[in-house]
Amino acid sequence: MTDWSLDRYCAEILTQTDLLCSLAGDGELTARVPTCPGWNFGQLLRHVGGTHRWADTVVRDRATEPVPDTLVNEVFHYDDKDPAALRDWLAEGARRLTDGLVAAGPDARVWTVVPDRPITFWARRMLHETVVHRADAAWTVGVPYALDAAVARDGFEEWLGFGQVPEAYETEDGQEPLLGPGRGLRFEPSDGPGANGPSTGWFVDLTGDAPTWTRDGGGAAAVTVRGPLSDLLLLVYGRPVRDRLHVSGDTGLLDLWLERTGFWIE
């Protein structure tokens, strides 16, 4: 569920990429990325640019089957020494991606990681890929990270959608069940305008045969998480923001939900 248009996603991809590019001049490309162990700053930027190009290939080729993700993961053979050149390369990839998405139009159908999604899936996914890695870049160069509340809200709701994919809640032998009586999570933003005011949050219901989520509403929550929208988003991506959030209730359920809904980035 998204309230955003394809054009809005594309505009925001360019904005977030520009912000990421601006950080490339603030740190050494060989600096280690504390939130992405094993990567340096240049490799982080290569990953983002490679991901943009991978999605662009899917869109421009109108791929109906998975496309090899070599550009996404093979970042170690580059020897980047010129931050300006790397910034230009990153910006070019974002522009190619957004141009390709706009040219395809919202009615085009291509292969998506989660089956049977509109092409807007790729615009949304690439936006939030860029958003989260911009936070990694900010940690690397030691500058504050700020994110527009509307972008953070959409990123959090994208994650909630991933939590409804069967891989996130179906139980294999030896796994602790995610679903069960009394299992509900509430996430309460402490900032930012929502559909019905600043307090608009989310309730995740795990009591049925499959997870569901609603904006506000819902039943009793076994665990409640409250904090800034950007930190709620970074929490689900495993970034070190837990000490900036207020968590009350069944923290074990929260940890299990975070682990299971993150199946797709392992």
Side-chain angles (χ1 to χ4, degrees), residues 17 35 49 63 85 103 111 120 135 140 158 170 176 178 194 196-197 214-215 218:
T17 303
T35 47
W111 169 79
T120 306
T140 303
E158 183 198 35
E170 290 181 343
E176 179 182 353
L178 179 64
N196 301 303
T214 57
R215 294 170 179 160

Side-chain angles (χ1 to χ4, degrees), residues 4 9 124-125 127-128 131-132 147 149-162 202 233 236-237:
W4 286 31
Y9 279 119
R124 191 184 204 188
R125 179 82 296 280
L127 168 58
H128 299 304
V131 160
V132 173
L147 181 62
V151 176
R153 289 188 65 84
D154 187 73
F156 193 84
E157 291 190 352
E158 183 198 35
W159 185 279
L160 294 179
F162 286 132
W202 303 272
L233 177 62
V236 297
Y237 280 91

Side-chain angles (χ1 to χ4, degrees), residues 6 59 62 100-101 103-112 117-120:
L6 180 63
V59 171
R62 303 295 191 271
L101 285 163
D107 296 328
R109 306 294 292 191
V110 298
W111 169 79
T112 50
R117 294 293 195 272
I119 203 169
T120 306

Side-chain angles (χ1 to χ4, degrees), residues 27-79:
E28 296 291 335
L29 295 180
T30 56
R32 309 313 297 178
V33 180
T35 47
C36 297
W39 283 1
N40 64 32
F41 191 23
Q43 290 162 345
L44 173 72
L45 299 178
R46 282 284 174 184
H47 168 74
V48 176
T51 303
H52 289 169
R53 285 165 168 77
W54 173 61
D56 177 57
T57 299
V58 174
V59 171
R60 288 182 183 273
D61 291 352
R62 303 295 191 271
T64 58
E65 299 291 338
V67 171
D69 59 358
T70 304
L71 287 170
V72 176
N73 298 312
E74 293 191 5
V75 299
F76 299 102
H77 60 282
Y78 295 100
D79 185 21

Side-chain angles (χ1 to χ4, degrees), residues 204-224:
V204 180
D205 187 347
L206 303 176
T207 62
D209 295 331
T212 61
W213 65 269
T214 57
R215 294 170 179 160
D216 276 347
V223 58
T224 298

Side-chain angles (χ1 to χ4, degrees), residues 33-37 39 44 47 128-129 131-137 139 145 159 230-245 258 265:
V33 180
T35 47
C36 297
W39 283 1
L44 173 72
H47 168 74
H128 299 304
E129 178 80 6
V131 160
V132 173
H133 285 313
R134 183 167 69 80
D136 296 324
W139 265 302
Y145 177 75
W159 185 279
S230 60
D231 286 344
L232 292 176
L233 177 62
L234 294 174
L235 171 72
V236 297
Y237 280 91
R239 272 39 177 193
V241 297
R242 191 98 169 226
D243 61 346
R244 305 200 299 237
L245 298 166
L258 290 171
I265 55 175

